[in-house]
C-alpha cells in the first residue's frame, strides 16, 4: 500500500533563497556566498578564526542546475534540461533530486508552497 504522504519530487518547484548571494565566473561556474550569523557563529569567528562569509564554488552540474532554477520550473523540467545539457550523465534524475535536497537542507532553496 502506498503511503499517502509519499513525495513526488517531479512536481516540486524549487525557489532560490533571496538572501543568498551568488556570482557566475568567467568559466560559467557559480560561487554561492553564505553569511554565518548568530551567537555560535560569532563565537567561532572570534575564537577559531572562522570566516564570516563562506564561498562555495559549484561544479559544472551544480552551476547548471543553480542557474536553471527560475522559481517556475519543476524538477521534471529541470531534469529534462539537465539531460539535454549533459547527455552522458548517469542517474541524472536521482543526482538532481539529491542535489536539490542538499540545497534545501542548507537553506539555499525551498519548495514552492512551503513556508
Amino acid at each position: 500500500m502506498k503511503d499517502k504522504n509519499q513525495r513526488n519530487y517531479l512536481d516540486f518547484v524549487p525557489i532560490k533563497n533571496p538572501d543568498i548571494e551568488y556570482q557566475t565566473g568567467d568559466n560559467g561556474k557559480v560561487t554561492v556566498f553564505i553569511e554565518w550569523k548568530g551567537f555560535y557563529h560569532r563565537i567561532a569567528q572570534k575564537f577559531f578564526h572562522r570566516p564570516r562569509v563562506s564561498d562555495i564554488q559549484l561544479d559544472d552540474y551544480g552551476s547548471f542546475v543553480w542557474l536553471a532554477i527560475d522559481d517556475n520550473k519543476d524538477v521534471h523540467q529541470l531534469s529534462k534540461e539537465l539531460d539535454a545539457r549533459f547527455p552522458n550523465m548517469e542517474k541524472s534524475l536521482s543526482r538532481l533530486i539529491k542535489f536539490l535536497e542538499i540545497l534545501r537542507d542548507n537553506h539555499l532553496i525551498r519548495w514552492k508552497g512551503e513556508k
Side-chain angles (χ1 to χ4, degrees), residues 72-115:
N72 293 316
K73 295 177 190 166
D74 60 15
V75 174
H76 180 68
Q77 291 169 320
L78 290 174
S79 71
K80 283 186 172 184
E81 289 182 16
L82 187 65
D83 286 339
R85 174 70 173 88
F86 302 102
N88 297 327
M89 184 181 196
E90 292 184 28
K91 300 181 182 181
S92 61
L93 181 59
S94 62
R95 289 178 71 176
L96 173 63
I97 289 172
K98 185 63 179 172
F99 178 68
L100 292 172
E101 286 177 344
I102 291 169
L103 290 178
R104 184 178 172 273
D105 289 344
N106 288 294
H107 308 289
L108 299 176
I109 66 166
R110 65 176 177 86
W111 301 120
K112 192 173 209 173
E114 184 179 59
K115 294 182 181 179

Side-chain angles (χ1 to χ4, degrees), residues 17-71:
N17 183 344
D19 296 333
I20 301 298
E21 295 182 22
Y22 67 94
Q23 70 181 20
T24 306
D26 294 336
N27 57 2
K29 291 188 179 179
V30 172
T31 303
V32 179
F33 301 99
I34 299 175
E35 183 176 2
W36 301 105
K37 301 176 186 175
F39 177 72
Y40 294 109
H41 293 293
R42 276 184 264 151
I43 289 173
Q45 291 163 14
K46 185 172 184 170
F47 294 108
F48 302 111
H49 307 289
R50 293 285 199 180
R52 187 178 62 80
V53 177
S54 294
D55 56 331
I56 301 167
Q57 187 173 18
L58 303 178
D59 63 357
D60 293 333
Y61 302 128
S63 296
F64 179 80
V65 171
W66 182 263
L67 294 174
I69 295 173
D70 66 355
D71 303 346

